[in-house]
Amino acid sequence: MTTTNQQALANPITEDDIANFLANNPDFFQRHAELLATVQFTSPHSHRAVSLQERQAEMLREKIKLLEQRIMEMIRHGNENVMLSDKILRWARTLFLTINPAELPVEIVREIKDQFSVPQVGLRVWGVAEAFAGIPAAQSVSEDAKVFATSLNEPFCGLNTGFEAVSWLEEPANITSLALIPLRSGMAGSTAPAFGILVLASSDAQRFNSGMGTDFLARIGEIASAALSRLR
């Protein structure tokens, strides 16, 4: 047995060796074009033997189909974002047109229900001016709820585990999931003490789940906070 054969047996060619060779010698199939017609695979679709060219064409069609699905998802998400933006603008317009500050809490609650199809919405504010101390939204709130609101750096979404804010709703017994949005001065993410809480609630456990994004809810809180600052 020659030295070359001994070395070949000791170091057999692997699939990686072949793959590296083909990657570094792209003209291999140009020199051996007849191999393209003889190499066959089993198609995962038809379960019949197909040539290398046919298999490559199938793979390209699969990639194109996947890209088309992604494009459709992007278009759908884009359309949904446009619709949400329109709803926020209509909601903000209503708040701008509300002349009497005492009516703002009612307008905020009603418009969120109508524009965003939220089953139940509640609102409480504290530290309001004396002229507004008698409105329903300024009813007493526990110190624990105030501390909790200030501790929220972003809206809370999740299951109802007995939050005080649920008692502010029309039908608290039906609430399974909710979003608690702190109201405070400044932009979203501000560390200023909260002066209120906006609660969005549903009987659907997945409507406000812990894994959902909160950017949209933060914008809602930012607009509501700006409008309700007229009560302070």
Side-chain angles (χ1 to χ4, degrees):
M1 183 177 295
T2 65
T3 302
T4 301
N5 289 338
Q6 290 175 338
Q7 291 176 342
L9 290 174
N11 300 288
I13 296 175
T14 65
E15 290 185 358
D16 288 340
D17 293 330
I18 298 173
N20 290 332
F21 173 81
L22 294 176
N24 294 319
N25 296 271
D27 58 342
F28 174 81
F29 284 111
Q30 293 179 357
R31 299 195 305 270
H32 302 278
E34 71 282 357
L35 290 177
L36 294 176
T38 60
V39 176
Q40 291 188 327
F41 302 86
T42 299
S43 170
H45 305 293
S46 62
H47 301 291
R48 64 181 180 85
V50 296
S51 66
L52 177 61
Q53 294 96 324
E54 288 181 274
R55 180 62 187 129
Q56 286 179 319
E58 286 183 349
M59 293 173 66
L60 285 174
R61 284 194 292 270
E62 291 170 358
K63 289 182 179 179
I64 291 172
K65 184 177 180 180
L66 180 60
L67 289 174
E68 288 176 343
Q69 291 175 345
R70 289 179 178 175
I71 290 173
M72 293 304 296
E73 288 180 1
M74 290 174 63
I75 293 173
R76 179 173 59 82
H77 289 316
N79 290 337
E80 290 176 351
N81 288 336
V82 169
M83 293 173 63
L84 282 176
S85 296
D86 287 344
K87 290 178 179 180
I88 288 180
L89 288 174
R90 287 195 294 270
W91 177 54
R93 178 180 180 274
T94 300
L95 301 185
F96 287 140
L97 293 174
T98 302
I99 298 174
N100 184 359
E103 297 176 358
L104 281 170
V106 175
E107 290 294 336
I108 288 173
V109 169
R110 180 171 63 237
E111 286 296 312
I112 289 178
K113 286 182 177 180
D114 293 344
Q115 295 290 348
F116 307 110
S117 301
V118 179
Q120 295 194 57
V121 180
L123 173 63
R124 285 290 186 277
V125 290
W126 47 88
V128 300
E130 186 177 350
F132 306 112
I135 64 175
Q139 294 178 26
S140 62
V141 175
S142 72
E143 288 301 319
D144 286 343
K146 295 177 182 179
V147 171
F148 173 71
T150 295
S151 72
L152 293 176
N153 294 322
E154 60 183 21
F156 166 87
C157 295
L159 296 176
N160 174 24
T161 56
F163 291 100
E164 178 181 332
V166 173
S167 66
W168 309 337
L169 303 171
E170 295 176 355
E171 299 180 29
N174 297 331
I175 301 308
T176 303
S177 68
L178 74 167
L180 298 173
I181 307 173
L183 304 175
R184 51 168 48 97
S185 301
M187 304 289 287
S190 168
T191 57
F195 66 83
I197 298 180
L198 179 62
V199 52
L200 283 54
S202 172
S203 59
D204 180 358
Q206 293 302 313
R207 178 66 187 273
F208 300 105
N209 63 79
S210 59
M212 68 185 294
T214 59
D215 288 346
F216 170 70
L217 295 175
R219 298 289 83 77
I220 291 289
E222 197 171 355
I223 294 173
S225 296
L228 291 168
S229 64
R230 296 167 62 189
L231 300 178
R232 306 190 69 195

